[in-house]
Amino acid sequence: MTVREEIEQLKKEKNAVILAHYYVRPEVQELADYIGDSFYLSKVAVGLGEQTIVFCGVSFMGESAKILNPEKTVLMPDAAADCAMAHMADAETIRQMRERYEDLAVVCYINSTAELKRHSDVCVTSANAVNIVRALPNRNIFFIPDRHLAHYVAGQVPEKNFVYNDGFCPIHAQIRSDEIRRKKEAHPQVLVLVHPECPDTVAAMADYTGSTSGIIGFAEKSSAKEFIICTEVGVEYELMKRCPEKRFYFTETVPVCQDMKRITPEKILHVLKTGENEVILDEGLRTESKRPLERMLALG
Ligand code: SF4
């Protein structure tokens, strides 16, 4: 039996479903029942009938799935796959900000640990952050952990006062405006599609800014034929699937999230066989971090 056949058989036996983020390897995306960005996957996870969720992504994604589905078994194919940015804020700074600013809303990007979520008022994703921040009654916003997404949202919601945190995604931070400029010179017709985790110098060159699924949707609908994609390279798989006639370029320093690439079909098979790498959360942490996630789902 092939690895794929074994996975399919075990999925039936164990009543399991496979969720995968757009940034994982193509051969993992091919095995998934649902593929998407963090927002889509967090919504999908809530309504699933299967008892076991195999989450092909980094640890904060598995945590979110478990927070929203405590009765389900959530398995991570690689327990060491983590997101550096998810840890780039701390409870003490949040406490100090709450003291300093009246009427403060702590807005937490979903790319964060459960521990950070528990200290926040609402979660957001890159797809819904603008709408959710706009809908909040608070004027002062402490946006954690990503400063680049915070700057993008602040630009869209100028009526709010933003306090910035110093976190960033090391992968999107590698994307450089001089490399984009050179690509544009070589391909004058291209449109530049930018994820808001990119630095401001890159954001300034965008023809479109949006979440990973926003970028895919824009490329699909656009009459343009060539695009520079400023996000993690794994998205190329879905772009090529949906728009085989179009051309997609990445910067010379290709943005690769090595943590997302840790997940392989063999590791999916292993956790399905053994039940290893189950996400276990302390019940207090789970209920406290659920509140901002549920508020996001209600507002988003
Ligand atoms: S691409 Fe960046 S934000 Fe996404 S999981 Fe990797 S390190 Fe985290």
Side-chain angles (χ1 to χ4, degrees):
M1 237 196 288
T2 64
V3 170
R4 186 184 186 110
E5 286 165 350
E6 274 195 84
I7 288 172
E8 290 303 329
Q9 185 176 314
L10 279 166
K11 265 172 54 186
K12 285 192 198 110
E13 282 173 28
K14 307 231 165 157
N15 191 20
V17 61
I18 300 178
L19 270 53
H21 193 274
Y22 284 130
Y23 296 169
V24 297
R25 296 168 183 273
E27 60 269 31
V28 172
Q29 294 191 45
E30 272 169 25
L31 291 168
D33 298 295
Y34 299 91
I35 310 167
D37 61 10
S38 308
F39 184 42
Y40 172 77
L41 294 175
S42 63
K43 280 195 303 182
V44 160
V46 177
L48 292 171
E50 288 82 356
Q51 178 50 36
T52 297
I53 298 172
V54 180
F55 209 120
C56 304
V58 292
S59 52
F60 76 82
M61 298 176 178
E63 280 185 350
S64 296
K66 184 67 183 177
I67 291 165
L68 294 167
N69 299 276
E71 75 292 350
K72 303 231 167 136
T73 303
V74 179
L75 302 176
M76 303 304 285
D78 189 316
D82 199 359
C83 167
M85 181 168 68
H87 303 268
M88 291 186 189
D90 63 88
E92 176 55 21
T93 309
I94 293 171
R95 192 192 61 74
Q96 288 171 12
M97 291 301 169
R98 287 197 192 278
E99 271 183 10
R100 193 174 307 166
Y101 293 90
E102 263 184 45
D103 180 36
L104 186 78
V106 179
V107 176
C108 186
Y109 191 19
I110 198 164
N111 296 28
S112 55
T113 59
E115 183 59 31
L116 283 180
K117 288 183 178 81
R118 119 193 282 179
H119 295 288
S120 305
D121 297 307
V122 64
C123 287
V124 296
T125 69
S126 50
N128 64 23
V130 169
N131 285 342
I132 287 181
V133 168
R134 196 175 277 140
L136 290 172
N138 317 62
R139 201 179 95 74
N140 291 315
I141 306 292
F142 182 37
F143 196 106
I144 59 169
D146 184 16
R147 65 168 183 254
H148 297 304
L149 179 59
H151 278 278
Y152 170 71
V153 177
Q156 305 295 308
V157 194
E159 65 273 23
K160 306 277 181 182
N161 175 49
F162 273 70
V163 182
Y164 298 101
N165 179 63
D166 208 20
F168 63 95
C169 162
I171 315 309
H172 287 84
Q174 287 172 354
I175 301 176
R176 286 174 25 198
S177 54
D178 58 324
E179 292 190 358
I180 297 171
R181 207 165 291 118
R182 278 203 292 281
K183 277 271 182 252
K184 280 185 83 166
E185 281 161 15
H187 307 280
Q189 305 301 322
V190 290
L191 294 183
V192 181
L193 313 189
V194 173
H195 192 284
E197 285 174 26
C198 290
D200 298 353
T201 47
V202 172
M205 302 179 78
D207 294 296
Y208 169 81
T209 304
S211 65
T212 311
S213 48
I215 286 173
I216 293 167
F218 182 93
E220 197 175 18
K221 288 194 198 101
S222 171
S223 57
K225 297 283 178 238
E226 295 182 285
F227 306 88
I228 300 173
I229 303 297
C230 299
T231 190
E232 211 276 348
V233 69
V235 73
E236 188 176 26
Y237 174 79
E238 185 72 15
L239 286 166
M240 292 304 296
K241 208 162 75 177
R242 293 205 205 176
C243 323
E245 76 293 357
K246 297 186 178 177
R247 303 204 62 183
F248 302 101
Y249 308 108
F250 291 81
T251 48
E252 287 151 50
T253 315
V254 181
V256 181
C257 180
Q258 294 298 350
D259 279 86
M260 289 286 194
K261 307 305 181 215
R262 293 177 71 100
I263 296 141
T264 62
E266 290 73 19
K267 289 178 183 173
I268 296 173
L269 179 58
H270 182 76
V271 294
L272 273 169
K273 268 185 187 160
T274 63
E276 281 177 21
N277 300 346
E278 182 180 351
V279 178
I280 307 281
L281 286 180
D282 166 81
E283 185 56 16
L285 174 61
R286 193 193 69 75
T287 48
E288 287 175 30
S289 51
K290 186 179 181 195
R291 184 182 34 80
L293 273 173
E294 285 187 327
R295 198 169 176 207
M296 173 186 85
L297 293 174
L299 287 169

Short mmCIF file of all heavy atoms in Angstrom, two decimals, residues 23 58 60-61 82-85 111 169-172 197 232 257 260, ligand 1:
data_model
loop_
_atom_site.label_atom_id
_atom_site.label_comp_id
_atom_site.label_asym_id
_atom_site.label_seq_id
_atom_site.Cartn_x
_atom_site.Cartn_y
_atom_site.Cartn_z
N TYR A 23 0.79 26.99 3.37
CA TYR A 23 2.26 27.07 3.37
C TYR A 23 2.94 25.71 3.49
O TYR A 23 4.16 25.64 3.43
CB TYR A 23 2.75 27.96 4.52
CG TYR A 23 2.34 29.42 4.47
CD1 TYR A 23 2.55 30.25 5.58
CD2 TYR A 23 1.77 29.99 3.34
CE1 TYR A 23 2.19 31.60 5.56
CE2 TYR A 23 1.40 31.32 3.32
CZ TYR A 23 1.62 32.12 4.44
OH TYR A 23 1.26 33.44 4.41
N VAL A 58 1.52 24.83 12.00
CA VAL A 58 2.40 25.05 13.17
C VAL A 58 1.57 25.04 14.45
O VAL A 58 0.33 25.02 14.41
CB VAL A 58 3.20 26.36 13.02
CG1 VAL A 58 4.22 26.24 11.90
CG2 VAL A 58 2.28 27.54 12.79
N PHE A 60 0.50 26.93 16.91
CA PHE A 60 -0.62 27.78 17.33
C PHE A 60 -1.90 27.37 16.60
O PHE A 60 -3.01 27.58 17.12
CB PHE A 60 -0.31 29.28 17.13
CG PHE A 60 -0.38 29.77 15.71
CD1 PHE A 60 -1.59 30.11 15.13
CD2 PHE A 60 0.77 29.93 14.96
CE1 PHE A 60 -1.66 30.58 13.83
CE2 PHE A 60 0.72 30.40 13.66
CZ PHE A 60 -0.50 30.72 13.09
N MET A 61 -1.78 26.81 15.41
CA MET A 61 -2.98 26.39 14.65
C MET A 61 -3.64 25.18 15.32
O MET A 61 -4.87 25.12 15.44
CB MET A 61 -2.59 26.05 13.21
CG MET A 61 -2.03 27.24 12.48
SD MET A 61 -1.48 26.81 10.84
CE MET A 61 -0.95 28.44 10.29
N ASP A 82 6.74 25.16 14.74
CA ASP A 82 6.29 26.29 15.56
C ASP A 82 6.42 27.56 14.74
O ASP A 82 7.11 27.60 13.71
CB ASP A 82 7.14 26.37 16.84
CG ASP A 82 6.47 27.19 17.93
OD1 ASP A 82 5.36 27.70 17.70
OD2 ASP A 82 7.08 27.31 19.01
N CYS A 83 5.77 28.61 15.20
CA CYS A 83 5.84 29.92 14.53
C CYS A 83 6.59 30.87 15.45
O CYS A 83 6.14 31.12 16.56
CB CYS A 83 4.43 30.43 14.28
SG CYS A 83 4.35 32.17 13.78
N ALA A 84 7.73 31.38 14.96
CA ALA A 84 8.54 32.27 15.81
C ALA A 84 7.74 33.49 16.25
O ALA A 84 7.80 33.91 17.42
CB ALA A 84 9.79 32.70 15.04
N MET A 85 6.94 34.04 15.35
CA MET A 85 6.21 35.26 15.69
C MET A 85 5.17 35.02 16.79
O MET A 85 4.86 35.94 17.55
CB MET A 85 5.50 35.80 14.44
CG MET A 85 4.74 37.09 14.72
SD MET A 85 4.20 37.90 13.23
CE MET A 85 2.98 36.77 12.65
N ASN A 111 -1.92 34.27 14.85
CA ASN A 111 -0.57 33.69 14.88
C ASN A 111 0.09 34.01 16.21
O ASN A 111 0.99 34.84 16.31
CB ASN A 111 0.30 34.27 13.76
CG ASN A 111 -0.21 33.93 12.38
OD1 ASN A 111 -1.41 33.72 12.20
ND2 ASN A 111 0.68 33.89 11.42
N CYS A 169 7.08 38.46 11.48
CA CYS A 169 7.30 37.14 10.91
C CYS A 169 8.67 37.16 10.22
O CYS A 169 8.87 37.93 9.27
CB CYS A 169 6.21 36.81 9.89
SG CYS A 169 6.71 35.45 8.80
N PRO A 170 9.59 36.30 10.64
CA PRO A 170 10.94 36.33 10.05
C PRO A 170 10.93 35.95 8.56
O PRO A 170 11.85 36.32 7.84
CB PRO A 170 11.71 35.27 10.84
CG PRO A 170 10.86 34.91 12.01
CD PRO A 170 9.47 35.30 11.71
N ILE A 171 9.91 35.25 8.12
CA ILE A 171 9.86 34.83 6.71
C ILE A 171 9.40 36.00 5.83
O ILE A 171 10.05 36.33 4.83
CB ILE A 171 8.89 33.62 6.53
CG1 ILE A 171 9.12 32.57 7.60
CG2 ILE A 171 8.98 33.07 5.12
CD1 ILE A 171 10.54 32.09 7.80
N HIS A 172 8.31 36.64 6.21
CA HIS A 172 7.84 37.79 5.43
C HIS A 172 8.81 38.96 5.54
O HIS A 172 8.91 39.79 4.63
CB HIS A 172 6.43 38.19 5.87
CG HIS A 172 5.37 37.22 5.42
ND1 HIS A 172 5.09 36.08 6.12
CD2 HIS A 172 4.58 37.21 4.33
CE1 HIS A 172 4.14 35.39 5.48
NE2 HIS A 172 3.81 36.07 4.38
N GLU A 197 1.89 40.90 6.47
CA GLU A 197 3.01 40.64 7.39
C GLU A 197 4.33 41.16 6.80
O GLU A 197 5.37 41.11 7.47
CB GLU A 197 3.15 39.14 7.66
CG GLU A 197 2.09 38.59 8.60
CD GLU A 197 2.17 37.07 8.72
OE1 GLU A 197 3.24 36.50 8.52
OE2 GLU A 197 1.12 36.46 9.01
N GLU A 232 4.58 33.49 1.66
CA GLU A 232 5.32 32.22 1.70
C GLU A 232 5.07 31.41 0.41
O GLU A 232 3.94 31.36 -0.10
CB GLU A 232 4.87 31.43 2.93
CG GLU A 232 5.92 30.54 3.53
CD GLU A 232 6.04 29.18 2.89
OE1 GLU A 232 5.15 28.82 2.09
OE2 GLU A 232 7.02 28.49 3.18
N CYS A 257 8.97 29.09 4.87
CA CYS A 257 8.82 28.85 6.31
C CYS A 257 9.22 27.40 6.58
O CYS A 257 8.46 26.47 6.30
CB CYS A 257 7.39 29.11 6.75
SG CYS A 257 7.16 28.83 8.52
N MET A 260 6.78 25.17 8.55
CA MET A 260 5.67 24.59 7.79
C MET A 260 6.14 23.39 6.95
O MET A 260 5.39 22.44 6.74
CB MET A 260 5.07 25.66 6.86
CG MET A 260 4.31 26.73 7.59
SD MET A 260 2.71 26.09 8.15
CE MET A 260 1.89 27.63 8.57
S1 SF4 B 1 5.33 32.09 7.74
FE1 SF4 B 1 5.83 33.43 9.49
S2 SF4 B 1 3.87 33.77 10.52
FE2 SF4 B 1 3.60 31.99 9.16
S3 SF4 B 1 4.05 30.22 10.48
FE3 SF4 B 1 5.99 30.74 9.42
S4 SF4 B 1 7.03 32.12 10.89
FE4 SF4 B 1 4.88 32.02 11.53
#
